[in-house]
Amino acid sequence: MKKVLVIVGPTAVGKTSFSIELAKQLNGEIISGDSIQVYRGLDIGSGKIKPDEMRDIPHYCIDILEPTDNYSVADFQLHAREKIDEITERNCLPMIVGGTGLYIKACVYDYVFEKQPDEYPELIKKYESMTNDDLVDYLKTFDNEQAMSIHPNNRKRLIRACLIYDTTSITKSEIIANQEHKPIVDAFILGCTLPRDVLYERINQRVEKMVNDGLEQEVQTLIKNGVKFTDQAMQGIGYREWQGYFNKTVSLQETIEEIQKHSRQFAKRQYTWFNNQTPIHWVDMNDEDSIKKTKELIENWRNKSE
C-alpha cells in the first residue's frame, strides 16, 4: 500500500511548522486536511499557511474554491486520493496535515459515500411520483434488507437506498457489507499535542493575534463580496462567531471570547475523536526528546518493507 504520513492536532499546537520541517527531511508534499482552508479569502481565521512559510514545499487542497461553494468530505476524499497518487508517482511522501478528523479517516480508510439526489433530477422526479409505500415495495425488489430496516416514514433514506441501486446497480446492503473501514493506504498518524493548560493559553493568544492581524476586516470583505453567514465556508470557527457582531448584538470582546471558547471546545473534541477513531501516535510539541523519537518512528515506518 502507498505510504501516507498524517499529521493532526488542534489549532495553535504547532503542527504547521512541524510538518514543514518533516517535509523537508522526508521529501514530502503536503495535502491540507482542513475543511476551511479550501476556500479563497478565508485566510486569517483558518490559520492558513502563508506562501513564504511553505519553504518551497508543495501544498494542495488550499485556495481551490470560492467562499460561496460547497465542499463535502466526499469531495476531499476524491481530491486527496488523486494527490496521494500523484505525489507517490514522483517518489515523494504524501503528507496530510490538518484537524478535520472525518476528512482524514475518509481519505485513508475505505469509506464509500452515497450519491447526492440532486445530481439525478430525472430519478428524483420518478421518486416524487411514488408514495412511501411505493418506495418500500420498489426497494424490496432489489434490496429487501434495507426495505425492512428503513422506517416507512423515513422518505429521505428510502430515496437514497433506491438512488444507490438505480445509479450503480449495487445495493446499499452490498456496500455496507463490503465497507469494512479498513485502511487503503499505509498511514502513520501523528498527533501533535501540548499540556492542556498550555494549549488553551496558546489558543487564546492565537485568536487575539488573528484579530490584530485583521480578522474583522477579512470577514467584512467576505460579506461585501456577497458571502453570507449561511454559506458553508462561514460555518467554521473564527467566522460564524462574527454574525452577532456585525448585527450589532454583541461586542468585539464578546466575539473574541466566543471564538476562543469554541476553539478550546473543538480542541477537546478533536482529542477524543482521534483517540477513539484512529491508531494515533501523540507527540508533545514541547518535548524535544519526544519529537526526536517521533522522527525516528516515522523513519522506521517509512523504511519498513511493504
Side-chain angles (χ1 to χ4, degrees), residues 27-261:
N27 191 30
E29 297 186 13
I30 293 174
I31 302 164
S32 170
D34 187 284
S35 61
I36 302 300
Q37 294 185 5
V38 293
Y39 294 107
R40 288 184 280 272
L42 282 79
D43 303 329
I44 299 172
S46 69
K48 190 180 296 177
I49 187 170
K50 298 180 178 66
D52 62 324
E53 296 172 334
M54 295 179 181
R55 292 172 57 191
D56 298 323
I57 299 296
H59 281 66
Y60 308 100
C61 294
I62 294 177
D63 289 340
I64 60 174
L65 296 175
E66 294 300 327
T68 50
D69 292 334
N70 288 326
Y71 194 68
S72 70
V73 62
D75 294 327
F76 173 78
Q77 181 192 68
L78 177 64
H79 292 157
R81 287 180 177 178
E82 286 177 351
K83 292 304 176 184
I84 287 171
D85 291 343
E86 293 172 9
I87 294 168
T88 302
E89 288 174 4
R90 290 193 288 271
N91 293 318
C92 296
L93 177 64
M95 297 171 58
I96 304 176
V97 180
T100 307
L102 187 57
Y103 274 27
I104 305 298
K105 197 169 184 183
C107 180
V108 302
Y109 287 79
D110 63 341
Y111 274 60
V112 178
F113 293 98
E114 299 176 1
K115 301 288 187 180
Q116 296 301 312
D118 56 9
E119 297 175 24
Y120 302 93
E122 292 303 317
L123 283 174
I124 293 306
K125 189 180 297 184
K126 166 187 168 182
Y127 302 143
E128 286 176 348
S129 69
M130 302 167 70
T131 67
N132 285 10
D133 289 339
D134 291 337
L135 288 168
V136 172
D137 290 340
Y138 177 57
L139 188 55
K140 283 180 180 178
T141 64
F142 53 83
D143 193 352
N144 189 62
E145 184 177 343
Q146 283 298 305
M148 298 299 292
S149 65
I150 299 174
H151 194 283
N153 291 336
N154 195 332
R155 186 174 180 85
K156 185 175 181 180
R157 285 190 62 196
L158 289 170
I159 289 176
R160 284 191 178 278
C162 294
L163 181 72
I164 289 171
Y165 182 77
D166 284 340
T167 56
T168 67
S169 298
I170 301 172
T171 68
K172 184 172 182 178
S173 295
E174 288 174 319
I175 291 175
I176 292 172
N178 293 324
Q179 189 170 318
E180 303 177 58
H181 289 183
K182 289 184 176 180
I184 62 166
V185 296
D186 179 5
F188 186 91
I189 302 178
L190 175 67
C192 300
T193 187
L194 285 168
R196 201 61 59 92
D197 58 336
V198 175
L199 176 63
Y200 286 176
E201 181 56 31
R202 285 182 62 166
I203 287 174
N204 291 342
Q205 292 175 359
R206 173 76 166 267
V207 172
E208 290 177 358
K209 184 177 186 303
M210 287 177 173
V211 174
N212 290 334
D213 287 346
L215 179 56
E216 178 185 343
Q217 290 74 22
E218 178 173 278
V219 176
Q220 193 171 46
T221 299
L222 289 166
I223 294 170
K224 285 182 178 178
N225 290 336
V227 183
K228 300 179 177 62
F229 281 106
T230 53
D231 287 329
Q232 182 181 327
M234 298 293 275
Q235 299 306 303
I237 297 172
Y239 293 97
R240 65 178 188 241
E241 294 85 0
W242 289 93
Q243 184 169 7
Y245 175 77
F246 283 105
N247 288 338
K248 303 187 185 305
T249 58
V250 298
S251 68
L252 176 60
Q253 185 58 38
E254 288 172 321
T255 302
I256 294 171
E257 290 172 359
E258 279 293 289
I259 298 173
Q260 291 171 328
K261 181 180 74 173

Side-chain angles (χ1 to χ4, degrees), residues 263-278:
S263 298
R264 295 192 303 267
Q265 291 171 339
F266 183 55
K268 185 177 180 180
R269 292 197 301 272
Q270 284 176 301
Y271 282 125
T272 302
W273 195 95
F274 283 112
N275 278 325
N276 292 337
Q277 296 285 333
T278 64

